[in-house]
């Protein structure tokens, strides 16, 4: 099968790594890709936000299957254009991708489907924002209504900071604070059948001990030793199935990856957010543990035959990934720094490119992640940091505490 993967992040590199080892794949193209995908797939330049351009490339390549990685092209309608060209495509339609593209739409779907989530208010001006902040009280949670790559959310006990973020965004969702450890659960769906992957945990803040501003994610591990084993079934029953059914009933079936971001509160799992694509960096750890064919799974979701796919098989191991971000991230990242050691096993590329002189340089906020698996979580963590120690990036930032609290059994679900 000729497969085109659209995107240029760590998620696309991880997907390409999985596809490149699959005998069903006869040729693999990644567009536009990064320095990591270039080592295992053919590269093509591409404006991924242009639906016609993506569909045209897929046709020109004779692609038999297209995977759309990031959210922005999904929200721009790229999956619709590829399907309209007659090519099976993994990724929801523009209409269904609103689940990620608009926090207000997601809240509306959750309310209609009876999905447990934080109480919230959509606020269009400063007076509405102030009223909502006072209704829910501190800590305040203020979310830009549109796509913001995980950086549109401010969680703070400072009312002025919350108001300033609301003013900056214009249209915001303000909601009650959810107390409890976070879980990312990826579910593959064809619009009816839902298949959950392993739960993972992400580290959103830039600094050790969950300090500093939110980022797209600084590290992850899977599975979660502290999570009650029945949680996945519960989230499937209470969140994933009702959401998929509600969207189908609205005539906007969601086929692709439903990313459920949860807080494990004293009242049970509560949805923090939905995304319409694999998460970064959780994908690196989840796919590192998947033994079954990712290609078979995603293709079945694209063509509506997920019910026929055999149960997934997982390695009986743990995985840890640690992100290296560019200087100044999550502010405007410094780009163009030379990276060494990034071709080692376990290094997954995100914002990297190969310069004309052959050097690999940084080209995005999150640059690389160091990923490892081992029979224990502590072993995987040690290995991941060993992989990381072989990489050099001037000004590179990384957290030193990824997976640490889970290993020390310090994570508790509030009672
Ligand atoms: P989001 O973009 O909605 O995922 O939010 C980014 C991050 O902000 C989440 O991963 C949480 O760490 C935090 N967050 C978002 N909503 C809430 C909430 N209602 N309560 C507590 N933390 C939240
Ligand atoms: N890791 C968070 C995200 O992908 O949105």
């Amino acid at each position: 099968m000729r497969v085109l993967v659209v995107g240029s992040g760590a998620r696309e590199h991880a997907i390409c790594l999985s596809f490149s080892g699959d005998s069903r794949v006869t040729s693999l193209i990644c567009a536009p890709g990064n320095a990591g995908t270039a080592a295992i797939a053919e590269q093509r330049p591409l404006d991924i936000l242009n639906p016609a351009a993506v569909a045209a490339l897929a046709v020109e390549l004779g692609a038999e299957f297209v995977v759309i990685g990031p959210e922005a092209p999904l929200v721009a309608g790229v999956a619709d254009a590829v399907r309209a060209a007659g090519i099976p495509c993994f990724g929801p339609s523009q209409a269904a991708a609103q689940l990620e593209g608009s926090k207000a739409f997601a809240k509306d779907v959750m309310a209609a489907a009876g999905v447990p989530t934080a109480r919230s208010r959509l606020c269009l001006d400063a007076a509405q924002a102030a009223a909502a902040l006072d209704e829910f009280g501190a800590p305040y949670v203020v979310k830009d209504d549109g796509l913001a790559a995980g950086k549109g959310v401010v969680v703070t006990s400072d009312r002025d900071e919350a108001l300033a973020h609301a003013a900056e965004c214009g249209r915001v969702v303000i909601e009650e604070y959810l107390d409890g450890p976070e879980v990312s659960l990826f579910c593959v769906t064809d619009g009816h059948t839902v298949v959950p992957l392993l739960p993972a945990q992400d580290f959103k803040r830039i600094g050790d001990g969950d300090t500093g501003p939110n980022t797209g994610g600084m590290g992850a591990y899977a599975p979660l030793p502290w999570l009650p084993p029945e949680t996945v079934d519960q989230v499937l029953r209470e969140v994933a199935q009702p959401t998929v059914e509600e969207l189908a009933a609205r005539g906007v079936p969601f086929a692709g990856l439903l990313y459920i971001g949860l807080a494990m509160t004293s009242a049970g799992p509560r949805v923090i957010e939905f995304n319409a694509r694999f998460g970064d960096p959780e994908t690196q750890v989840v796919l590192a543990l998947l033994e079954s064919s990712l290609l078979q799974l995603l293709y079945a979701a694209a063509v509506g035959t997920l019910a026929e796919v055999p149960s997934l098989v997982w390695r009986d191991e743990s995985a840890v990934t640690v992100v290296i971000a560019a200087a100044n991230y999550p502010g405007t990242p410094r780009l163009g720094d030379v990276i060494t050691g990034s071709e080692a096993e376990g290094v997954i590329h995100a914002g990297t490119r190969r310069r004309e002189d052959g050097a690999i340089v940084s080209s995005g906020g999150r640059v690389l992640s160091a990923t490892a698996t081992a029979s224990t979580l502590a072993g995987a963590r040690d290995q991941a940091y060993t992989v990381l120690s072989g990489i050099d990036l001037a000004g590179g930032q990384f957290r030193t505490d990824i997976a640490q609290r889970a290993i020390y059994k310090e994570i508790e679900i509030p009672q």
Side-chain angles (χ1 to χ4, degrees):
M1 185 184 286
R2 287 179 70 77
V3 181
L4 169 63
V5 175
V6 173
S8 58
R11 158 187 45 228
E12 290 75 36
H13 190 194
I15 291 171
C16 283
L17 280 169
S18 178
F19 286 178
S20 67
D22 195 313
S23 58
R24 299 167 186 84
V25 176
T26 52
S27 66
L28 182 60
I29 306 102
C30 188
N34 58 37
T37 62
I40 51 174
E42 188 187 325
Q43 301 287 113
R44 286 301 192 93
L46 179 64
D47 174 5
I48 64 169
L49 297 182
N50 180 339
V54 177
L57 178 66
V59 170
E60 178 202 325
L61 292 168
E64 294 157 284
F65 182 41
V66 178
V67 175
I68 313 293
E71 62 276 18
L74 294 166
V75 169
V78 166
D80 308 74
V82 172
R83 280 191 280 269
I87 304 171
C89 180
F90 182 79
S93 67
Q94 180 169 37
Q98 282 305 305
L99 207 55
E100 173 165 3
S102 164
K103 303 264 186 207
F105 177 77
K107 284 289 185 187
D108 186 59
V109 169
M110 284 189 258
V115 168
T117 185
R119 288 179 301 129
S120 69
R121 296 268 175 274
L122 175 63
C123 304
L124 306 177
D125 60 36
Q128 289 179 358
L133 292 177
D134 295 337
E135 178 186 351
F136 297 128
Y140 305 108
V141 182
V142 181
K143 303 185 172 189
D144 193 336
D145 183 44
L147 280 186
K151 292 180 278 180
V153 178
V154 163
V155 180
T156 177
S157 291
D158 180 340
R159 191 170 178 278
D160 291 337
E161 187 189 346
L163 275 174
H165 185 61
E168 201 183 314
C169 299
R171 197 181 144 97
V172 292
V173 170
I174 291 180
E175 63 183 40
E176 91 186 282
Y177 179 77
L178 295 174
D179 189 14
E182 288 182 41
V183 174
S184 299
L185 184 68
F186 299 165
C187 293
V188 174
T189 175
D190 59 7
H192 299 282
T193 303
V194 182
V195 175
L197 307 187
L198 285 185
Q201 191 176 47
D202 181 16
F203 293 75
K204 288 269 165 60
R205 304 285 185 134
I206 186 79
D208 280 359
D210 296 324
T211 53
N214 263 322
T215 69
M218 294 299 292
Y221 65 96
L224 308 178
W226 50 269
L227 190 71
E230 66 276 10
T231 306
V232 171
D233 276 346
Q234 185 185 1
V235 174
L236 201 57
R237 215 170 46 241
E238 295 180 1
V239 178
Q241 284 289 357
T243 299
V244 164
E245 283 162 24
E246 170 66 21
L247 286 165
R250 290 182 182 208
V252 283
F254 185 103
L257 196 290
L258 175 62
Y259 166 142
I260 306 173
L262 299 158
M264 297 301 296
T265 74
S266 55
R270 294 281 178 276
V271 175
I272 288 184
E273 64 164 345
F274 284 137
N275 293 315
R277 37 84 195 168
F278 280 98
D280 173 10
E282 299 96 308
T283 302
Q284 288 90 302
V285 288
V286 171
L287 295 189
L289 297 171
L290 179 66
E291 225 158 65
S292 306
S293 166
L294 179 71
L295 180 79
Q296 189 183 26
L297 180 71
L298 303 190
Y299 189 80
V303 300
T305 58
L306 204 50
E308 294 161 28
V309 172
S311 296
L312 297 180
V313 181
W314 297 97
R315 263 183 257 292
D316 189 16
E317 291 188 326
S318 291
V320 172
T321 192
V322 183
V323 169
I324 306 178
N328 203 44
Y329 178 80
T332 308
R334 193 174 81 201
L335 307 180
D337 284 308
V338 172
I339 305 157
T340 56
S342 70
E343 280 150 306
E345 193 176 337
V347 180
I348 304 202
H349 288 234
T352 67
R353 67 181 175 84
R354 198 177 280 278
R355 234 170 31 189
E356 289 79 59
D357 65 0
I360 294 177
V361 298
S362 58
S363 63
R366 287 182 295 168
V367 182
L368 302 153
S369 54
T371 307
T373 62
S375 58
T376 64
L377 186 56
R381 173 183 146 79
D382 287 347
Q383 266 298 111
Y385 279 101
T386 301
V387 173
L388 182 133
S389 68
I391 303 169
D392 194 46
L393 165 66
Q397 314 179 65
F398 61 88
R399 282 181 61 160
T400 67
D401 63 347
I402 302 303
Q404 196 168 43
R405 294 185 58 231
I407 291 166
Y408 294 153
K409 300 193 167 39
E410 287 172 3
I411 301 184
E412 276 172 23
I413 299 171
Q415 294 299 313

